[in-house]
Amino acid sequence: MIQKIAMFGLAAAATSVFAAGSLWSISEGKNYSYQVQTPEVLACTGGAPSKMADYGAACFQSTGGWWFAYDATKDLAGTTASITPADKNADGTWKLITTSEEDGSILPGGNLDASKGLWATMKTTGVSGEVPGVVGIGFNWTKAETAISITSNGGYCVAYSWDSADELQMELGWDSKTNGDDTWFFVLPSGSKTLDITWAQFGQENWDTNHSTTVSTATDGAVSLKFRVKNGTTSEMGGTFALSELGKPGECGAAPSAISDVKAVSAKVMLNGRTLSVAGLTASATVEVVNLRGQVVASQMMSGSAAMNLSSLDAGMYMVRVQGKSVNYTQKVILK
């Protein structure tokens, strides 16, 4: 199983709450920027209307995308790969450096950067076309690596940069035990780009004669999306990749607000029992409480010493979003 990293999942309904880059956007602040928004694959429901359900372990594992780094060369003699910056799990598999497990804040010197996006330098060498070096970063649509259908998306939009002339592939992940390893991919051009890519633009290498598949196989049973370098030569290939937005066609391209701007705000969300307040507001701001399904379950205009009563909400984890003229801040809270 691929080792993944992130701490807190944020599941979203099929209609996302985000205006741009609805599947992922660095502009959303520290507690959103490493998430991938997915339709729920379990009916995580219960409780009164507008209240959060009792999200158990099974629901948590089956909602909310999960970023990871991977090296597909580790079992192939003569191949090498590296990912920088990155760390490794105890079993030697790669993991991204993104957020603190204590509070969800972005870790300095890691793979999330306000000026770059989600980024990594990836390099690999192979032996031949039959024994290539493969290295990359990507996400599983669910933490449990459950397949879901993304056919209705129509494709992807991406805002990214790639500083190398070497080929970077955007690969659609699927159940390789059933469908083989010859999956569908799109070659991303070098430079800083914002692209809309339809499913029809993805191609296949057609080397796996034991499996006959179409691109709809990859979208009907999607497991992951990967940004990878695949090198069938003994010369090193690679470069630095950074992703700032990912969404459905037509959603990318809005100017992102930098994470550094968000972190610089002095406002702080405070919770005293079931009473929520925001310290440090210098002007009125909209305060929204968002559940793990991406739904706004409470909203109020606040300023100064104003407070919000959350006694009607179920116990559990929520995201509090504070937005105003001089503030754009998101913080996780846990109601008990």
Side-chain angles (χ1 to χ4, degrees):
M1 179 178 290
I2 294 171
Q3 298 295 313
K4 304 168 286 290
I5 187 167
M7 185 59 186
F8 308 109
L10 180 63
T15 301
S16 174
V17 298
F18 304 123
S22 64
L23 303 179
W24 187 82
S25 175
I26 198 171
S27 67
E28 294 297 342
K30 69 178 184 181
N31 288 310
Y32 289 94
S33 57
Y34 58 92
Q35 300 298 335
V36 181
Q37 311 306 314
T38 79
E40 289 187 346
V41 294
L42 287 183
C44 304
T45 58
S50 79
K51 290 188 177 182
M52 192 182 91
D54 179 12
Y55 280 74
C59 178
F60 180 76
Q61 285 295 317
S62 298
T63 55
W66 207 274
W67 290 100
F68 60 87
Y70 74 102
D71 168 10
T73 70
K74 59 183 181 298
D75 298 321
L76 302 176
T79 62
T80 63
S82 65
I83 308 169
T84 306
D87 202 348
K88 286 194 174 182
N89 297 291
D91 63 359
T93 54
W94 292 97
K95 65 178 181 179
L96 299 179
I97 304 169
T98 56
T99 52
S100 166
E101 294 187 2
E102 283 72 34
D103 61 7
S105 60
I106 291 172
L107 294 173
N111 299 94
L112 281 177
D113 186 281
S115 63
K116 298 178 183 179
L118 180 78
W119 75 286
T121 296
M122 309 175 293
K123 295 182 179 180
T124 185
T125 62
V127 175
S128 64
E130 290 73 31
V131 188
V134 182
V135 65
I137 62 175
F139 65 85
N140 290 327
W141 278 108
T142 71
K143 299 175 182 67
E145 301 181 48
T146 310
I148 68 172
S149 176
I150 57 172
T151 300
S152 61
N153 290 1
Y156 286 117
C157 72
V158 290
Y160 72 95
S161 65
W162 174 241
D163 69 357
S164 171
D166 293 331
E167 186 171 287
L168 179 71
Q169 298 178 352
M170 181 177 175
E171 175 196 13
L172 301 176
W174 57 17
D175 179 359
S176 58
K177 291 182 179 179
T178 301
N179 302 314
D181 293 317
D182 185 19
T183 189
W184 293 77
F185 65 93
F186 177 85
V187 177
L188 294 170
S190 299
S192 296
K193 306 287 183 181
T194 299
L195 302 176
D196 282 342
I197 308 163
T198 65
W199 300 138
Q201 292 176 274
F202 283 79
Q204 194 177 28
E205 292 178 334
N206 295 311
W207 54 264
D208 188 351
T209 57
N210 295 321
H211 300 85
S212 177
T213 58
T214 64
V215 69
S216 63
T217 307
T219 58
D220 284 339
V223 174
S224 63
L225 177 69
K226 301 175 182 177
F227 300 91
R228 69 180 188 183
V229 178
K230 185 176 182 180
N231 180 11
T233 76
T234 56
S235 299
E236 186 177 73
M237 288 174 52
T240 298
F241 170 72
L243 179 70
S244 58
E245 278 191 278
L246 175 70
K248 301 173 185 179
E251 291 181 334
C252 297
S257 59
I259 290 178
S260 57
D261 292 338
V262 176
K263 293 176 68 177
V265 172
S266 60
K268 181 179 180 180
V269 174
M270 298 184 297
L271 192 63
N272 182 10
R274 288 304 187 92
T275 300
L276 183 147
S277 59
V278 182
L281 288 179
T282 58
S284 297
T286 300
V287 179
E288 295 179 328
V289 181
V290 183
N291 68 16
L292 292 184
R293 299 173 67 188
Q295 299 169 323
V296 177
V297 295
S299 179
Q300 183 175 318
M301 184 68 72
M302 297 176 65
S303 62
S305 59
M308 184 186 301
N309 188 340
L310 304 182
S311 60
S312 64
L313 301 181
D314 288 346
M317 185 176 74
Y318 295 82
M319 308 305 295
V320 179
R321 186 165 52 209
V322 184
Q323 295 178 311
K325 184 177 181 180
S326 59
V327 62
N328 181 10
Y329 181 72
T330 304
Q331 183 175 322
K332 172 180 69 70
V333 298
I334 298 177
L335 295 183
K336 297 180 180 180

